[in-house]
């Protein structure tokens, strides 16, 4: 069975639109982007369109890749004190700017991406919304009745956006995963896994011979190959999977919806 991320996104979008209209005021999201990248431009446009569709005011602030570190830190502090309901810092940042330092300048009450240390720790304790990709995966598991208990779960990738938050969430759910990265003997573990969640950003490297029949496959990795978006998992793995989230059209659309759900929760529009 294929995860229909677009339909799940549409269902969430309808609920969020109704909430915004009911409240009568437009939440405000500031999206900060440093540098230029046509692939990232596409991601930003997806967020902009979704937000505008549900009635959110989107403010996109773009800065040159060579912006001075201290100046950018000052800019982010000002955004933290602004009247925006949420702030998104589009990653990656240029090498001369410390990503963790900047993310920790986003106040937890405005951190819809849940990338600051304060917001993430609060999320693991149930005091803050989950990171959007984690919320998307949890939503997919709930939608398709996936029970984690007693399952061997493998997470491929240790990145800030997928691998790390997903792994820590699984630990908080008492489901300790096997965590792998490029260079490890990935197939030795994936062949025995009941559930594989991948966010490595290595196009189509997980192939049918690396998974068992009846496995649940959640592909949260994206790569741009000659203008085409590809996931970590080769499409042919779907033939062996009980449930498979394709790229594009799987986790990605749900993640965008969850980001805006977080915005409404943090701004008091959603309980």
């Amino acid at each position: 069975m294929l995860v229909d991320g677009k339909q799940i996104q549409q269902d969430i979008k309808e609920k969020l639109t109704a909430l915004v209209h009911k409240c009568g005021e437009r939440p405000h999201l500031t999206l900060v982007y440093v540098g230029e990248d046509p692939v990232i431009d596409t991601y930003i446009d997806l967020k902009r369109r979704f937000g505008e569709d549900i009635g959110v005011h989107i403010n996109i602030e773009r800065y040159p890749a060579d912006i001075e570190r201290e100046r950018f830190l000052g800019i982010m502090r000002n955004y933290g004190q602004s009247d925006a309901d949420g702030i998104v810092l589009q990653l990656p940042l240029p090498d001369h700017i410390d990503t963790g330092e900047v993310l920790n300048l986003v106040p937890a009450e405005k951190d819809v991406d849940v990338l600051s240390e304060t917001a993430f720790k609060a999320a693991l304790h149930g005091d803050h919304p989950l990171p959007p990709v984690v919320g998307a995966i949890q939503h997919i598991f709930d939608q398709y009745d996936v029970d984690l208990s007693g399952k061997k779960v493998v997470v491929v990738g240790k990145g800030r956006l997928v691998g790390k938050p997903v792994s820590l969430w699984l630990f908080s759910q008492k489901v300790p995963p096997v965590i792998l990265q490029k260079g490890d003997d990935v197939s030795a573990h994936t062949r025995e896994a009941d559930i594989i969640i991948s966010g490595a950003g290595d196009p189509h490297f997980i192939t049918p011979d690396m998974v068992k029949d009846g496995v649940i496959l959640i592909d949260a990795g994206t790569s741009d190959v000659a203008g085409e978006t590809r996931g970590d998992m080769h499409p042919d793995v779907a033939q062996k999977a009980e449930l498979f989230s394709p790229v594009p059209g799987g986790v990605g659309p749900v993640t965008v919806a969850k980001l805006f759900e977080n915005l409404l929760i943090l701004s008091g529009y959603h309980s």
Side-chain angles (χ1 to χ4, degrees):
M1 180 184 299
L2 292 181
V3 171
D4 189 346
K6 292 182 180 179
Q7 184 57 55
I8 296 173
Q9 184 193 68
Q10 183 60 34
D11 294 341
I12 297 173
K13 176 186 276 190
E14 291 174 4
K15 294 176 183 177
L16 298 184
T17 302
L19 281 170
V20 173
H21 288 174
K22 181 180 179 181
C23 291
E25 295 184 12
R26 298 178 67 189
H28 181 172
L29 178 70
T30 294
L31 199 156
V32 183
Y33 175 26
V34 181
E36 294 184 16
D37 186 319
V39 175
I40 294 177
D41 286 340
T42 299
Y43 295 147
I44 289 175
D45 194 53
L46 288 171
K47 295 172 185 176
R48 178 191 62 76
R49 283 187 285 146
F50 186 98
E52 291 177 350
D53 284 349
I54 68 171
V56 172
H57 175 72
I58 306 292
N59 180 37
I60 298 174
E61 298 288 349
R62 185 188 295 265
Y63 298 94
D66 60 355
I67 187 171
E68 293 181 358
R69 170 184 168 276
E70 287 299 329
R71 181 181 172 224
F72 187 63
L73 291 177
I75 288 169
M76 288 303 297
R77 291 189 188 98
N78 289 337
Y79 285 135
Q81 297 169 4
S82 72
D83 59 0
D85 296 296
I87 299 169
V88 169
L89 177 62
Q90 187 67 44
L91 300 180
L93 292 175
D95 291 340
H96 69 283
I97 299 175
D98 184 280
T99 299
E101 181 181 18
V102 179
L103 290 172
N104 285 329
L105 293 176
V106 179
E109 65 272 16
K110 299 184 180 187
D111 190 356
V112 297
D113 254 338
V114 200
L115 289 173
S116 68
E117 292 178 8
T118 301
F120 186 71
K121 289 177 181 176
L124 292 180
H125 289 92
D127 299 323
H128 192 283
L130 291 170
V133 70
V134 178
I137 291 170
Q138 183 187 61
H139 192 109
I140 289 168
F141 285 165
D142 290 343
Q143 181 103 357
Y144 292 93
D145 297 319
V146 175
D147 183 4
L148 293 173
S149 59
K151 300 294 195 302
K152 179 177 179 179
V153 182
V154 168
V155 175
V156 184
K158 298 182 179 180
R160 187 189 299 272
L161 296 178
V162 180
K164 180 182 176 181
V166 168
S167 297
L168 291 174
W169 171 69
L170 287 167
F171 277 114
S172 76
Q173 301 299 302
K174 313 300 182 188
V175 185
V178 175
I179 306 169
L180 306 170
Q181 61 182 348
K182 195 170 184 177
D184 294 334
D185 188 358
V186 175
S187 61
H189 294 279
T190 56
R191 289 193 186 102
E192 303 299 322
D194 302 304
I195 300 173
I196 302 170
I197 303 170
S198 187
D202 192 350
H204 293 179
F205 87 100
I206 296 178
T207 51
D209 62 298
M210 296 172 63
V211 304
K212 68 181 184 181
D213 289 332
V215 67
I216 292 169
L217 299 172
I218 303 297
D219 193 346
T222 56
S223 305
D224 180 71
V225 180
E228 177 184 310
T229 301
R230 294 184 183 177
D232 292 347
M233 302 182 185
H234 193 282
D236 288 349
V237 297
Q239 299 169 14
K240 300 181 75 172
E242 177 182 336
L243 181 68
F244 172 51
S245 70
V247 174
V251 173
V254 188
T255 299
V256 172
K258 286 293 178 176
L259 183 143
F260 284 94
E261 184 176 271
N262 286 357
L263 173 68
L264 295 196
I265 291 171
L266 292 175
S267 57
Y269 288 72
H270 189 288
S271 59

